[in-house]
Amino acid sequence: MAESAGKKKVVRVDFAFRRELAEKVEGNLASFCYQCGACVGDCPAMTYTDDFNPRQIMLKVLYGLGEELIGDESYLWECTNCYNCAERCPQEVKPAEVIISMKNMMADRGQYPPGVEKVINAFLTEGRTVAMNPAIDKNRARFGLPPLSPVPMDEILILIEASTGEGKES
Ligand code: SF4
Ligand code: SF4
């Protein structure tokens, strides 16, 4: 319960959100969080943004505050996937993985920032998360490196189909 203008505000656990998250890979790990705060010390997203805090995010997961976590303009996209939190956590919670699972929930709803859409499109068309451009090979040449070889898109598409279940025969 939370105080609001003299009244107690009841916070209801969103079990549907928690169930959906638990079905994602590593989505259920927040259940082991005992709120020690070790994950916050080296978190770059916390250093550079006002409202980001992996310990608080795990607490919100435990409370089932889905709307606050995966609503429009979610601050979870600030996570850099650096995994510092996972290395520090004594409970092996891997907050980074829990956050990725919630990003996947948002992606399932078609809810992601334009920068992420660019990465998705580059990956689906070129098999790379950064679209190729002549400057990349030019910079590589400066360091004596050969041009990047083309990505085998047919193999990438097989992996995407296998992981999403699309294209499987029933
Ligand atoms: S370090 Fe692990 S157990 Fe501690 S608050 Fe962070 S996620 Fe929870
Ligand atoms: S992976 Fe963990 S430490 Fe790194 S930005 Fe995300 S929450 Fe912070």
Side-chain angles (χ1 to χ4, degrees):
M1 271 190 205
E3 295 281 348
S4 170
K7 283 187 183 171
K8 301 251 186 218
K9 187 179 164 213
V10 177
V11 178
R12 298 199 184 281
V13 176
D14 180 348
F15 287 107
F17 161 76
R18 288 197 48 172
R19 270 196 299 274
E20 187 180 343
L21 178 58
E23 280 168 14
K24 298 280 181 200
V25 178
E26 314 263 45
N28 202 28
L29 288 175
S31 309
F32 302 102
C33 173
Y34 55 23
Q35 289 290 294
C36 67
C39 52
V40 305
D42 252 345
C43 171
M46 181 161 163
T47 305
Y48 296 108
T49 60
D50 292 335
D51 43 8
F52 194 100
N53 178 317
R55 180 193 63 75
Q56 285 175 4
I57 292 169
M58 294 308 105
L59 186 60
K60 286 181 181 181
V61 169
L62 291 168
Y63 285 162
L65 302 180
E67 257 177 55
E68 284 188 31
L69 291 165
I70 62 167
D72 290 338
E73 321 256 325
S74 169
Y75 60 88
L76 297 185
W77 297 105
E78 306 294 340
C79 172
T80 63
N81 298 350
C82 68
Y83 281 75
N84 284 349
C85 52
E87 284 181 21
R88 283 174 155 253
C89 177
Q91 286 289 89
E92 299 187 6
V93 168
K94 300 187 202 158
E97 291 284 351
V98 180
I99 291 168
I100 288 170
S101 293
M102 288 189 280
K103 286 176 178 171
N104 286 337
M105 285 170 71
M106 288 188 274
D108 288 348
R109 292 158 168 75
Q111 215 182 295
Y112 35 74
V116 172
E117 191 169 9
K118 250 170 111 175
V119 171
I120 294 170
N121 289 338
F123 183 68
L124 290 177
T125 52
E126 296 186 36
R128 300 181 193 281
T129 51
V130 175
M132 272 303 286
N133 67 66
I136 294 176
D137 280 339
K138 213 166 143 191
N139 280 334
R140 288 175 63 84
R142 278 178 50 217
F143 294 102
L145 296 169
L148 284 176
S149 26
V151 172
M153 272 315 288
D154 47 344
E155 291 177 23
I156 298 270
L157 291 173
I158 290 170
L159 290 172
I160 291 172
E161 281 179 9
S163 64
T164 58
E166 284 172 23
K168 274 189 196 161
E169 287 179 23
S170 52

